Amino acid sequence: MSAAASNSLVENLNLGSGELRLVVKDSIDIAGCITGMGSAITAGASPAKESAEIISNILANNAKIIGKAKMHELAYGVTGINTLAGTPVNPKYPNLIPGGSSSGSATAVAEGVADIGIGTDTGGSIRMPAACCGLVGLKPTFGRVSRVGVHPAQSSLDCVGTITKTVALAEQAMALIDPSFKIQPDLAEFNVGVVKGAWRSDVATAMDAALSNVSQSMQSIELPGLMRAHEAGLIIIAAENWSAFHDIVDAPNLGDDIHKRLLLAQEITAQQVDDALKIQAEFRAEVDAVLASGIDVLILPALPLPAPTLAEAKDAAAIVAHTQLLRPFNISGHPAITLPLENDAGQPFGLQLVGGMMQDEKLCMIARQIERLIESKDYEEKLK
């Protein structure tokens, strides 16, 4: 499919050169383009005068930006449904949500328009659409990739990352946006910590089956603070989004779902934020301690149950629960990557791997090996 025929983009571009085609989430500044944030409120806004630092890195490294991608309005939602700017279709699972907020960055890759989708992840906004669309989604360590020229400008959780079809492409994409990233060769042995949890039985069964072909050392791990970290993440993102967008809360052309979320965010107290920050520090230490005990990578589902349908997405409260395994690692700041995975019914939920702080290269290297082993198992089963 050509970029012109795609419904994933808000603007077609032809910047840079090279074989790798990228689309960029419309919350990232590109000089001469309006940074639309998926919102009607930005109509008529002045184009960005300068490009974000990551755009300069991309264009300096033999890659081509072909468009700006659709997104959940103001990056404040996980469904990708946008009644004002348009909802991109999930190419592989058209009855399911595309996932948000980096929806168009995922669907453009899934439909073959782009090799790499650049998105942002504050509470799962790269890993959620990757899981929903059957793709690889990488959220780097917090602070690893520059956010200069990324909106909202102030965030203590947000990370710029990538959506691709393979881990190898994710590594190439990371090297584009972070010049310090160096791809590592395979490691013969590594230790896996499989996180215990009460996810749905079909998800647990599919994950166990996928990992049965991984011969490396595995042990069960508990993360008692996981759900509290999810709740803390909701409080922090709400408080920060109220700070960023309170002046437009009553705008007549603001999406209804965003209006409601901002009104709820207004009610967050300073005490709630302080408590959430304490939970953040505790959970970060909890994850650090597990990874320091000889575990190289943690594994758990990306979503605790399969991706929801477009109809199910009307229940906003239920949809937030889909991020309860993603959001904690925005709170902790650790790098996390999702690999495509389905249950026996062919419903996607994704497999999530979490690595040590600033060990993004090691995480990707292990994910690349696990991806290969899972694909090998799938291939063997298809031959039976």
Side-chain angles (χ1 to χ4, degrees), residues 110-121:
E111 65 188 356
V113 167
D115 303 300
I116 298 167
I118 302 297
T120 62
D121 191 315

Side-chain angles (χ1 to χ4, degrees), residues 133-157:
C133 294
L135 299 169
V136 174
L138 173 62
K139 180 200 80 68
T141 300
F142 178 77
R144 172 94 192 228
V145 178
S146 171
R147 290 193 70 258
V148 174
V150 179
H151 301 272
Q154 302 300 319
S155 174
S156 65
L157 303 176

Side-chain angles (χ1 to χ4, degrees), residues 242 322 374:
W242 175 250
H322 280 77
I374 291 174

